[in-house]
Amino acid sequence: MSMRWIVAAVACTTLLGSVTGCAGQEKRLAPVSSSAVIGHWKGDCGATLDVARNGHFAFAEFPSGEGPHDELRLSGSGQWYLYRGGKGAPPPSLDLKYDRTLFSLLFTRSSDGALTGMRFEEEDRTCSFTRKG
């Protein structure tokens, strides 16, 4: 084997090792806490969401995800919980169990990991929620 091939093989191995090592060093955000989601939230789609400490929520004019342009809206209450996500799983979310339906709101976070909002993604649009009051 020529010296040129040995140098190329060592360079490729070193490069691959450095790229793989960097992937393991990505900053992992701390999970969103229950206290971070408690409160009154308003959606840019006209919906409101009240998340209580006792694991219950109430919403009004919440997008159902059904009908053209989501004409069907829901009002009612149910239970919430935090889904933590994981490797190869859907991203972390606030999950709302309403009747027999589960709605997942994905978290929007700042660069330092603080919760800045939540979003409910539908087929043709997204409803983004921000905390009010």
Side-chain angles (χ1 to χ4, degrees), residues 56-59 62 64 66 72 74-81 95-103:
H56 289 87
F57 74 88
F59 57 32
F62 194 85
S64 68
E66 298 178 16
L72 179 62
L74 303 171
S75 295
S77 61
Q79 293 185 307
W80 67 268
Y81 62 93
D95 288 354
L96 308 175
K97 184 177 179 190
Y98 172 72
D99 196 23
R100 294 186 180 120
T101 305
L102 185 68
F103 297 101

Side-chain angles (χ1 to χ4, degrees), residues 8-128:
V10 170
C12 287
T13 304
T14 303
L15 179 60
L16 181 60
S18 67
V19 169
T20 306
C22 291
Q25 296 176 10
E26 290 178 13
K27 183 180 176 183
R28 296 223 167 106
L29 297 174
V32 171
S33 68
S34 296
S35 61
V37 299
I38 303 299
H40 179 71
W41 297 82
K42 180 143 178 62
D44 62 2
C45 61
T48 60
L49 171 65
D50 290 297
V51 181
R53 291 192 186 285
N54 64 2
H56 289 87
F57 74 88
F59 57 32
E61 297 299 314
F62 194 85
S64 68
E66 298 178 16
H69 303 291
D70 200 32
E71 294 171 359
L72 179 62
R73 295 301 180 112
L74 303 171
S75 295
S77 61
Q79 293 185 307
W80 67 268
Y81 62 93
L82 293 175
Y83 173 70
R84 301 287 183 198
K87 187 174 182 177
S93 59
L94 172 68
D95 288 354
L96 308 175
K97 184 177 179 190
Y98 172 72
D99 196 23
R100 294 186 180 120
T101 305
L102 185 68
F103 297 101
S104 295
L105 283 81
L106 303 175
F107 301 123
T108 305
R109 300 172 86 171
S110 64
S111 60
D112 67 353
L115 181 65
T116 58
M118 297 184 286
R119 67 189 185 284
F120 177 62
E121 295 182 351
E122 305 171 73
E123 285 186 27
D124 58 350
R125 69 179 191 163
T126 298
C127 183
S128 297

